[in-house]
């Protein structure tokens, strides 16, 4: 319940609350986006602390988390695409405003995270309780994935200080 209250309050102070059009939809997308990020990235941190402390781990728990992470990433991307459509009114705003550039930064970082996540997915599917080297490799990948994810959080935090690109109709940078 505390996590739900945190997500609801965070969405309640987001750009969505200041919108006149589509406020409820944007609030819902924001909440889904934040909850999915919290489950995925928070889960990575817990995975590092609880399941991968040494050279072995619980392969079944890691597989369950892998499935949960995949569902979270799908929800995260759906929420992110919806928010981008709501706050960025086209390609010129994407490259011509600070908000758009930060969205693109998040997309590039997400692509790196997805590549690491895919690597982890295949490592997890090959996990055997006796394969200590696979657990070490997985731990290293998860550590890097967690670091990149925290960087995405910082980029997301910077978006809150910028007006949405849809609201910046003058003084946009030209593509050239």
């Amino acid at each position: 319940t505390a996590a739900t209250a945190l997500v609801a309050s965070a969405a309640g102070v987001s750009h969505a609350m200041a919108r006149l059009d589509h406020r409820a939809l944007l609030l819902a997308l924001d909440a889904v986006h934040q909850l999915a990020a919290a489950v995925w990235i928070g889960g990575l941190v817990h995975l590092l602390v609880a399941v991968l402390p040494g050279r072995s781990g619980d392969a079944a728990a890691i597989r369950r988390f892998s499935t949960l992470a995949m569902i979270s990433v799908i929800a995260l991307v759906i929420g992110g695409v919806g928010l981008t459509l709501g706050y960025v009114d086209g390609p010129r705003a994407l490259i011509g405003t600070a908000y758009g550039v930060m969205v693109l930064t998040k997309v590039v970082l997400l692509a790196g995270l997805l590549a690491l996540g895919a690597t982890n997915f295949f490592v997890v599917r090959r996990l055997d309780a006796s394969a200590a080297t696979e657990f070490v490799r997985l731990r290293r990948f998860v550590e890097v994935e967690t670091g990149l994810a925290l960087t995405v959080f910082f980029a997301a935090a910077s978006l809150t200080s910028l007006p949405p690109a849809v609201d910046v109709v003058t003084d946009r940078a030209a593509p050239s």
Side-chain angles (χ1 to χ4, degrees):
T1 58
T4 304
L6 183 62
V7 168
S9 66
V13 295
S14 70
H15 289 303
M17 191 55 94
R19 307 304 310 162
L20 297 177
D21 297 329
H22 313 296
R23 180 181 297 158
L25 175 61
L26 291 170
L27 281 169
L29 287 170
D30 198 305
V32 165
H33 191 69
Q34 289 187 41
L35 182 61
V39 168
W40 179 26
I41 307 311
L44 283 173
V45 172
H46 284 88
L47 187 68
L48 283 171
V49 172
V51 182
L52 296 171
R55 295 192 170 189
S56 64
D58 182 357
I62 295 168
R63 283 189 194 95
R64 284 191 305 272
F65 171 74
S66 178
T67 301
L68 178 65
M70 195 176 347
I71 293 166
S72 295
V73 168
I74 291 167
L76 181 82
V77 169
I78 289 169
V81 167
L83 290 169
T84 299
L85 292 173
Y87 294 138
V88 180
D89 63 345
R92 290 184 56 95
L94 203 56
I95 59 172
T97 64
Y99 190 92
V101 170
M102 289 309 299
V103 168
L104 287 176
T105 300
K106 282 181 64 178
V107 168
V108 169
L109 290 170
L110 178 65
L113 278 167
L114 291 177
L116 279 171
T119 303
N120 288 342
F121 177 83
F122 292 118
V123 169
V124 165
R125 296 305 173 253
R126 291 191 315 258
L127 272 183
D128 180 355
S130 63
T133 57
E134 291 299 319
F135 282 103
V136 171
R137 177 180 295 148
L138 181 63
R139 180 175 177 82
R140 289 180 183 147
F141 283 149
V142 171
E143 287 171 350
V144 173
E145 189 175 351
T146 303
L148 265 176
L150 292 174
T151 304
V152 173
F153 275 169
F154 292 128
S158 73
L159 281 174
T160 63
S161 66
L162 298 169
V166 71
D167 294 336
V168 180
V169 293
T170 60
D171 295 329
R172 287 186 179 175
S176 59

